[in-house]
Amino acid sequence: MEIAFYLAALVAIVATFRVITHTNAVHALLYLIISLMAVAVVFYSLGAPFAAALEVIVYAGAIMVLFVFVVMMLNLGSQTAHQERSWLAPRIWVGPSIMAALLLVVLVFSFWHGGGIGTISGEELSAKEVGTQMFGPYLLAVELAAMLLLAALIAASHIGRNDEPQLERDMNESVQRAPAGNDEGGQA
């Protein structure tokens, strides 16, 4: 498992570096998912399969859903169809595919040979132990993190909201009411 740990850590570092250096959001997202998968392999190699499963389900899955949500919020329409087709070119998928294949080989190799490769000392944690720790002494930290995430979600929703049609409607209503109010005010 020691080899799995070091190879997964290397993939995570390289993929994270590619996330930071890429200017295209879709490419950076692909490398981010590979990085999160590599961190899941690191957790698994350290004897925390529950944390590895949470990493894949919560982070890698949630990142994808968040990205789809952002694309839907932007509502770019047909003007970006050509750009989206260029993102599907095979040359773009080469880097993430190589890193994902390396992670798959490391994971299959570690499953095949068990812990005989070299082990990293540590105990396996169950879901119950993780829950007991999180909602025991760290309850305040978990609640503060939840409140911070809720505040970020509300702020992102507020910033991404398009109020222009409502503003135009309000302005049109006030313009329609203004002459009637001025006539009545001038007569009285």
Side-chain angles (χ1 to χ4, degrees), residues 1-108:
M1 286 297 212
E2 194 169 337
I3 293 172
F5 172 80
Y6 287 118
L7 283 176
L10 179 69
V11 169
I13 290 169
V14 171
T16 304
F17 180 73
R18 295 294 291 165
V19 169
I20 295 169
T21 58
H22 251 291
T23 56
N24 190 330
V26 174
H27 300 172
L29 177 73
L30 288 173
Y31 282 108
L32 179 63
I33 292 169
I34 296 298
S35 174
L36 293 172
M37 295 292 185
V39 171
V41 173
V42 167
F43 282 146
Y44 181 78
S45 68
L46 289 174
F50 180 70
L54 284 180
E55 180 79 21
V56 170
I57 293 169
V58 174
Y59 289 109
I63 293 296
M64 285 301 294
V65 170
L66 179 65
F67 187 73
V68 169
F69 178 68
V70 167
V71 169
M72 288 171 47
M73 251 178 41
L74 291 176
N75 195 16
L76 298 176
S78 62
Q79 64 189 4
T80 60
H82 178 67
Q83 183 181 15
E84 288 175 3
R85 274 190 226 106
S86 70
W87 289 344
L88 297 175
R91 61 180 163 71
I92 292 171
W93 292 83
V94 170
S97 297
I98 290 172
M99 288 188 205
L102 180 62
L103 282 177
L104 182 65
V105 167
V106 166
L107 199 56
V108 167

Side-chain angles (χ1 to χ4, degrees), residues 78-169:
S78 62
Q79 64 189 4
T80 60
H82 178 67
Q83 183 181 15
E84 288 175 3
R85 274 190 226 106
S86 70
W87 289 344
L88 297 175
R91 61 180 163 71
I92 292 171
W93 292 83
V94 170
S97 297
I98 290 172
M99 288 188 205
L102 180 62
L103 282 177
L104 182 65
V105 167
V106 166
L107 199 56
V108 167
F109 189 72
S110 66
F111 280 143
W112 190 268
H113 290 288
I117 306 169
T119 58
I120 299 173
S121 62
E123 298 177 6
E124 219 176 277
L125 292 175
S126 69
K128 183 178 181 180
E129 292 169 346
V130 172
T132 302
Q133 284 296 316
M134 283 182 65
F135 293 106
Y138 300 110
L139 178 64
L140 183 61
V142 169
E143 291 296 326
L144 287 174
M147 294 302 289
L148 180 66
L149 289 172
L150 178 63
L153 178 68
I154 291 170
S157 174
H158 181 69
I159 290 170
R161 195 172 51 176
N162 187 4
D163 286 337
E164 192 170 322
Q166 179 66 33
L167 180 64
E168 289 176 6
R169 244 183 289 145

